[in-house]
Amino acid sequence: MTASKAWDVAAAVPDPELPCVTVAELGILREVVMEGDVAVARVSPTYSGCPAVQFIEEAIAEALRDAGFQPRIERVISPPWTTDWISDAGCEKLRAFGIAPPQKASNSKRALFGETVVACPRCGATDTEKLSEFGSTPCKAHYRCKACLEPFDYFKCI
């Protein structure tokens, strides 16, 4: 029972709202350490009101128990999670799933005014428009591509 094995088990847990990516790819699984016989998984919520936090923590604990570990989950809120922690592989999986991944940190002045250029995850066109501030979950906005006319969700930058 090593921390590396515990990490592999916890890292493979899919996000319940975005099953195409794992909790590790989203960057919400911060670390897994062994404290004696206990596998301690440290997890950050994406935001304080995320309804999936407890479900994710229990899913990680269950996966660790199923692998023979005695789990303990610790919620870490500082520093707060940011969409910059989503791995490149996670962003690509979001795009392949039809969700535009969040923009990385930007020094563009347009970002100050909420003017984000969002590329369509299907055709790559940047001629898109926001239809609603909220998509299928609160962390996503709903967009439409003016080139291919397909609607899609955009994972908002936090």
Side-chain angles (χ1 to χ4, degrees):
M1 297 292 180
T2 66
S4 176
K5 172 69 175 156
W7 168 267
D8 290 345
V9 169
V13 172
D15 181 83
E17 293 180 328
L18 301 164
C20 62
V21 292
T22 68
V23 294
E25 290 167 332
L26 281 178
I28 60 176
L29 179 64
R30 307 274 294 263
E31 67 176 342
V32 180
V33 298
M34 294 301 298
E35 292 183 0
D37 293 336
V38 178
V40 180
R42 296 189 173 102
V43 180
S44 290
T46 54
Y47 64 99
S48 61
C50 178
V53 171
Q54 285 187 308
F55 185 88
I56 291 168
E57 291 173 348
E58 184 51 41
I60 292 170
E62 183 178 333
L64 288 168
R65 271 192 297 277
D66 289 349
F69 291 96
Q70 181 182 345
R72 186 174 79 227
I73 307 300
E74 291 182 359
R75 192 175 297 177
V76 179
I77 57 172
S78 181
W81 178 85
T82 168
T83 48
D84 282 349
W85 293 1
I86 300 175
S87 70
D88 290 342
C91 286
E92 189 49 44
K93 285 182 177 181
L94 288 171
R95 188 181 343 274
F97 196 67
I99 299 170
Q103 304 290 314
K104 295 290 184 183
S106 170
N107 60 2
S108 168
K109 292 178 183 173
R110 294 182 65 170
L112 295 172
F113 303 101
E115 297 176 20
T116 304
V117 176
V118 176
C120 174
R122 291 180 175 82
C123 72
T126 55
D127 188 13
T128 60
E129 63 181 340
K130 185 184 338 179
L131 299 176
S132 171
E133 188 62 38
F134 297 100
S136 58
T137 61
C139 59
K140 292 180 272 186
H142 199 60
Y143 275 72
R144 176 176 47 208
C145 178
K146 292 180 179 178
C148 71
L149 304 179
E150 288 292 325
F152 62 92
D153 275 343
Y154 166 62
F155 198 116
K156 292 186 271 190
C157 185
I158 298 176

